[in-house]
Amino acid sequence: MIEVINLEKKFKIKKKRKNNSELDPREHGGYFHAVRKVDFTCQNGHILGLLGPNGAGKTTVLRMLSTAIKPTAGEINIHGFNAIHDPLEIRKQIGFLSGATGLYGRLTAKEMIVYFGRLHGMDALACQKRLESLVDILEMGSFLDRRNDNLSAGMKQKVNIARTLIHDPKVIVFDEPTTGLDVAAAEAIIRLIEQCKNEGKTVLFSTHHMHEVERLCDSIVLIHEGLVTFTGTVTQMKHQSGQAQMDKAFLALIGKEDLHVA
């Protein structure tokens, strides 16, 4: 279970803008308030979709959940542990896939995944057994022994996901896991996310693809300019926005309903 309460994050502004008319509404008091009083809960066996336009504050929220950065204010509780007071315990509980995560190019896919399993304290037998399961689910057998430098974007993303899941975490955070992938690679990842839910895991899922939201998410949190502008289900999001299509519902709830959606 993930519980986020009044989460805030601000960053010191290093340079002043010459033109005050260009100020972002989140800039005041010499700080950029990237996340402002964000609240949400994600239960075990549920998938929560974290939505928002670029720059909304989603990645900052996810980085705080992963303990990569500390909140300015508020609380994050994951399976009974507090992210501020128990960061090491939180890291044991979660698997975090970031869009900025890189691979060691000179290692093979298998070496990379096993390396992270051992970092999490897994013994060789447990690591091998978990690896075999992930290779089957993600269809990685054909490139498991190839160096990461020689893999396609879809293959690299599968290695990253296997690295994220090797220690069988209870809570999984996916930050745009299918961006830039072809249909087959994206489908394999979507099926894996569905399996994580079926196994009772807590899944937080960030994406810009509304068809993935409709297929996967039990609930949605929409963030715009650091604030939560909607919390609820897909059906409730459509109803509140007055739109039948998710793309248009998304735009309406961030005040961009006049933009054309193909």
Side-chain angles (χ1 to χ4, degrees):
M1 176 180 174
I2 301 172
E3 184 182 31
V4 172
I5 305 169
N6 287 328
L7 194 63
E8 298 186 20
K9 184 61 182 180
K10 64 181 181 181
F11 299 94
K12 185 73 174 179
I13 298 173
K14 296 181 179 180
K15 293 183 179 180
K16 292 184 178 180
R17 293 182 185 270
K18 294 181 179 179
N19 186 351
N20 288 334
S21 65
E22 297 178 355
L23 285 178
D24 188 291
R26 289 171 286 181
E27 295 182 21
H28 57 85
Y31 287 90
F32 180 78
H33 298 261
V35 175
R36 303 182 281 173
K37 295 189 180 301
V38 167
D39 292 278
F40 62 82
T41 300
C42 184
Q43 302 290 339
N44 300 341
H46 280 68
I47 300 175
L48 183 145
L50 185 64
L51 309 184
N54 289 334
K58 302 187 305 298
T59 297
T60 301
V61 170
L62 297 181
R63 291 183 68 199
M64 286 188 281
L65 283 169
S66 73
T67 74
I69 58 176
K70 291 184 178 181
T72 303
E75 291 186 28
I76 300 170
N77 298 306
I78 297 179
H79 275 280
F81 295 101
N82 184 279
I84 298 173
H85 303 301
D86 306 299
L88 292 179
E89 289 297 333
I90 293 294
R91 291 168 198 164
K92 295 176 184 177
Q93 300 286 327
I94 69 171
F96 179 66
L97 177 73
S98 167
T101 303
L103 298 175
Y104 299 129
R106 302 184 72 175
L107 295 182
T108 66
K110 180 178 180 179
E111 289 169 342
M112 183 78 186
I113 299 163
V114 170
Y115 171 67
F116 273 86
R118 300 308 294 266
L119 284 179
H120 280 286
M122 300 176 70
D123 62 41
L125 182 61
C127 200
Q128 180 62 31
K129 185 175 180 180
R130 178 66 173 162
L131 174 65
E132 290 172 359
S133 174
L134 292 170
V135 167
D136 183 55
I137 295 167
L138 289 167
E139 300 174 354
M140 297 173 58
S142 63
F143 59 88
L144 193 61
D145 293 316
R146 288 169 57 183
R147 279 176 45 167
N148 292 317
D149 271 346
N150 300 323
L151 302 181
S152 68
M155 292 173 181
K156 288 179 179 178
Q157 187 68 325
K158 288 182 178 182
V159 176
N160 264 324
I161 290 175
R163 172 198 63 77
T164 299
L165 300 179
I166 186 65
H167 60 300
D168 200 18
K170 297 178 181 178
V171 176
I172 307 164
V173 178
F174 292 108
D175 189 6
E176 300 182 22
T178 63
T179 297
L181 303 186
D182 63 29
V183 174
E187 176 63 21
I189 291 168
I190 291 298
R191 288 200 304 267
L192 175 66
I193 295 173
E194 290 174 329
Q195 180 166 329
C196 289
K197 173 184 173 177
N198 292 337
E199 292 173 353
K201 298 183 185 299
T202 305
V203 181
L204 186 57
F205 174 65
S206 171
T207 184
H208 289 294
H209 303 304
M210 294 300 112
H211 67 281
E212 294 178 353
V213 175
E214 291 198 85
R215 175 172 170 179
L216 291 172
C217 296
D218 298 293
S219 57
I220 296 165
V221 172
L222 175 58
I223 297 178
H224 181 47
E225 295 182 344
L227 294 169
V228 174
T229 60
F230 171 81
T231 302
T233 65
V234 167
T235 300
Q236 290 168 338
M237 184 170 169
K238 291 179 179 179
H239 183 266
Q240 182 170 320
S241 65
Q243 300 289 341
Q245 298 178 15
M246 279 295 289
D247 285 345
K248 292 184 177 180
F250 174 87
L251 292 173
L253 291 171
I254 64 170
K256 303 289 185 180
E257 59 267 49
D258 56 330
L259 295 179
H260 175 71
V261 178

